[in-house]
Amino acid sequence: MALEKYFLNYNDTIASISTAWGEAGIAIVRLSGPQALDFAEKVFKGIKPLKETPPRYMRNGFLVNENGDHLDEVLGVWFRAPKSYTGEDVVEIHCHGGLLVASKCLELLIDQGARLAEPGEFTQRAFLNGRIDLTQAEAVLGIIRAKSDEALRAAARTLRGELSIKIAEIYDLLLNLSANLEANLDFPEEDIPFLPSDEVLKKLNQISTNLKRLISRCNVGKVLRDGIKVAIVGRPNVGKSSIFNALLEEARAIVTPIPGTTRDVIEGMIVYKGIPIIFMDTAGLRATNDVVETIGVSMAQKAFREADLRLWIIDGSEALTQDDINLAEELKTHPHIIAINKADIPQIVSPDDLREIAPDSEITVLSAFDKLAIEKLKERLVNKLIKHSAINEGFNATARQIEMLKNVLSCVDNAIASINMGEPEELVASNLYEARYYLDRLLGRNFDEDLIHAIFSQFCVGK
Ligand code: GDP
């Protein structure tokens, strides 16, 4: 692949401060590219030059400016291409972690001709040089962003290449099937052993099952990293803010007995069993003439649409209204859980009453003031999206990766349907071809600049 076509500056030497900005014990300035060692030699003075130090060995020395002044006592280490993070020659200078000294070191390297690295450019080079594939590159971001042990483990699993191996296995199975189908299509007169269609079907069904399992493992990883967004919805005054506060164990939202007081969408996050849950307390969803409340209602609708899950609160002490019936209708096509609140006071609405308008919904009865019930509610919300036993099998995955896998699955399922309907083999072959195209995109064997930019621009500088 002609990388130069996409990346004009692919052959220059980049530099940046790779540690976080601020005062610390040490700061690391990193260089990568063909001239990394030459540039570093000019600013690093040890008993011996870095060139004469074996790769991966730390050499003690001084950071010097163009006049030879000693600016800091530092350590230098170099990695010879291709055995480095980026696959190119890499040098690291470990200086003391002052704001000025690390910047000074970087400045001196830029003066020598290094270019300031773009966000994620080191990892991008690792990808372009074939050190890692795209799923692994994205896992690096997963590691940096992990907010819980479970998320970190899922990212590490992907970085180790476990996801890539699974994807490659599926790719190879598809490739074998395609090869067989296409050989028969291209050379029908030759006597190529033909896989009987029930054999092809069996293999495709197996691939489809593997893909579904992979998608669910990726979903777990996505949930671990990005968390679950839960919109708390329902009529005004049913206890949404009270439940929101109880879930967050703090008084964030204003709780009042006057209907329609939550006019904004208020967000709060907890980490429950390693899973970040972002709760959004919304304005009551009801028809209103109040201008400010109307804005709140439209924001509530947006939160409703964007959430992974909706928690519909009902006041069990009051009769259901037309607003409830409308909401039940809307919720039919969106994942949700219903909580009948205010169980501590006499109830008018029972789960059976609700089943009449929401027959397939999961319903729980609780009180916002009951701590145990609120804990159980958290468990229910998480279980609704992922099985707890699956948490230890998650793969770090981004929305992009999950979408690609779903595309692959739908191609494979289309191929299965084609065979079942006795459609021409060309159709089956073209579905399998398309499936492999998506797998290629997933691993980054097939990419364009937009895709690469979209992925690596999320990284921090220095990574
Ligand atoms: P929202 O408008 O849906 O956010 O409702 P609020 O959380 O502001 O609550 C409205 C009223 O219901 C307040 O007076 C709360 O104290 C009361 N409330 C909320 N949850 C419960 C509950 O579980 N039991 C009882 N008895 N009152 C509750």
Side-chain angles (χ1 to χ4, degrees):
M1 185 169 320
L3 295 174
E4 297 75 15
K5 186 172 130 206
Y6 295 111
F7 305 99
L8 290 174
N9 297 325
Y10 183 54
N11 275 324
D12 56 5
T13 295
I14 52 172
S16 80
I17 302 174
S18 283
T19 38
W21 186 246
E23 270 187 29
I26 58 166
I28 301 175
V29 178
R30 182 153 64 167
L31 278 161
S32 177
Q35 289 170 284
L37 213 46
D38 294 339
F39 295 158
E41 275 335 337
K42 301 265 173 48
V43 307
F44 176 87
K45 285 286 161 281
I47 300 173
K48 280 186 180 174
L50 284 171
K51 272 190 186 105
E52 290 170 31
T53 310
R56 296 157 189 264
Y57 277 79
M58 287 279 196
R59 159 94 48 211
N60 179 264
F62 287 92
L63 179 69
V64 292
N65 63 13
E66 55 286 357
N67 303 325
D69 302 330
H70 287 193
L71 303 180
D72 187 16
E73 186 171 359
V74 299
L75 290 171
V77 56
W78 74 288
F79 304 83
R80 196 200 305 272
K83 291 186 174 176
S84 72
Y85 182 72
T86 58
E88 305 169 334
D89 277 351
V90 167
V91 179
E92 284 179 10
I93 297 178
H94 297 223
C95 44
H96 285 105
L99 283 175
L100 184 66
V101 68
S103 309
K104 199 77 207 157
C105 178
L106 179 63
E107 225 175 273
L108 291 171
L109 292 166
I110 303 287
D111 288 346
Q112 294 303 323
R115 172 171 63 76
L116 206 56
E118 301 283 335
E121 202 172 356
F122 289 94
T123 310
Q124 178 174 313
R125 287 188 171 198
F127 161 67
L128 294 173
N129 289 320
R131 291 280 296 160
I132 51 175
D133 66 38
L134 260 197
T135 65
Q136 291 171 306
E138 288 174 291
V140 171
L141 198 59
I143 288 194
I144 294 173
R145 298 249 170 99
K147 293 187 197 73
S148 69
D149 290 354
E150 288 80 359
L152 188 58
R153 277 200 292 271
R157 224 170 273 133
T158 310
L159 185 61
R160 272 203 309 267
E162 286 185 34
L163 176 60
S164 316
I165 290 170
K166 295 261 178 268
I167 294 170
E169 278 169 10
I170 292 175
Y171 187 93
D172 289 344
L173 286 171
L174 284 171
L175 188 63
N176 282 338
L177 280 178
S178 295
N180 187 274
L181 278 172
E182 280 167 25
N184 278 292
L185 286 171
D186 293 344
F187 310 102
E189 66 287 352
E190 309 245 333
D191 229 6
I192 299 165
F194 188 69
L195 273 182
S197 60
D198 57 344
E199 192 64 25
V200 177
L201 257 186
K202 207 171 118 200
K203 291 196 171 178
L204 283 176
N205 277 320
Q206 185 59 47
I207 294 174
S208 173
T209 310
N210 291 354
L211 274 167
K212 282 182 195 130
R213 176 146 173 68
L214 204 56
I215 291 171
S216 94
R217 291 181 71 179
C218 286
N219 271 328
V220 170
K222 183 171 180 305
V223 163
L224 286 172
R225 204 198 47 224
D226 297 345
I228 303 175
K229 276 198 155 191
V230 180
I232 305 179
V233 299
R235 275 193 291 131
N237 228 29
V238 292
K240 294 184 298 300
S241 301
S242 307
I243 289 182
F244 174 81
N245 289 336
L247 285 163
L248 290 164
E249 291 162 24
E250 59 178 312
R252 291 264 328 240
I254 318 146
V255 180
T256 65
I258 312 150
T261 38
T262 311
R263 303 209 154 155
D264 232 333
V265 174
I266 304 173
E267 280 195 8
M269 192 191 86
I270 58 168
V271 176
Y272 180 73
K273 297 195 174 163
I275 299 165
I277 312 180
I278 301 112
F279 292 106
M280 298 178 286
D281 182 17
T282 67
L285 291 167
R286 65 165 182 179
T288 174
N289 290 326
D290 180 307
V291 181
V292 181
E293 199 183 338
T294 306
I295 298 170
V297 170
S298 80
M299 288 171 78
Q301 281 160 344
K302 185 164 172 276
F304 180 97
R305 283 193 305 274
E306 288 174 0
D308 300 301
L309 193 60
R310 291 125 204 103
L311 174 61
W312 177 18
I313 313 292
I314 286 181
D315 184 343
S317 70
E318 283 190 0
L320 294 172
T321 67
Q322 187 58 42
D323 280 335
D324 293 319
I325 295 168
N326 296 346
L327 191 52
E329 198 50 43
E330 210 168 329
L331 279 167
K332 275 186 183 149
T333 48
H334 294 88
H336 66 277
I337 287 181
I338 303 179
I340 304 180
N341 189 28
K342 309 198 185 179
D344 53 308
I345 53 175
Q347 300 278 290
I348 296 179
V349 183
S350 73
D352 283 343
D353 297 333
L354 263 173
R355 270 186 205 108
E356 284 178 21
I357 56 169
D360 303 319
S361 302
E362 185 177 330
I363 303 171
T364 175
V365 181
L366 52 76
S367 159
F369 308 139
D370 177 351
K371 282 198 165 168
L372 202 65
I374 293 293
E375 273 311 295
K376 282 200 185 132
L377 180 61
K378 291 179 192 170
E379 180 95 38
R380 263 178 193 274
L381 292 168
V382 169
N383 281 348
K384 183 85 187 163
L385 287 188
I386 52 172
K387 296 279 157 287
H388 199 261
S389 58
I391 288 181
N392 288 329
E393 300 196 329
F395 280 129
N396 174 82
T398 58
R400 174 194 88 87
Q401 292 166 335
I402 294 175
E403 189 195 311
M404 288 293 152
L405 282 173
K406 285 184 177 164
N407 289 341
V408 179
L409 178 63
S410 87
C411 293
V412 170
D413 286 347
N414 286 343
I416 293 174
S418 285
I419 297 179
N420 283 333
M421 288 189 292
E423 287 180 343
E425 269 157 21
E426 280 91 343
L427 268 182
V428 180
S430 90
N431 273 313
L432 298 190
Y433 178 83
E434 204 183 334
R436 281 189 288 122
Y437 164 81
Y438 287 123
L439 288 172
D440 275 337
R441 298 273 293 175
L442 188 57
L443 291 173
R445 294 177 188 164
N446 175 339
F447 60 86
D448 50 48
E449 194 176 0
D450 287 346
L451 173 67
I452 298 303
H453 179 75
I455 292 173
F456 290 100
S457 61
Q458 300 170 50
F459 280 65
C460 41
V461 174
K463 189 62 227 172

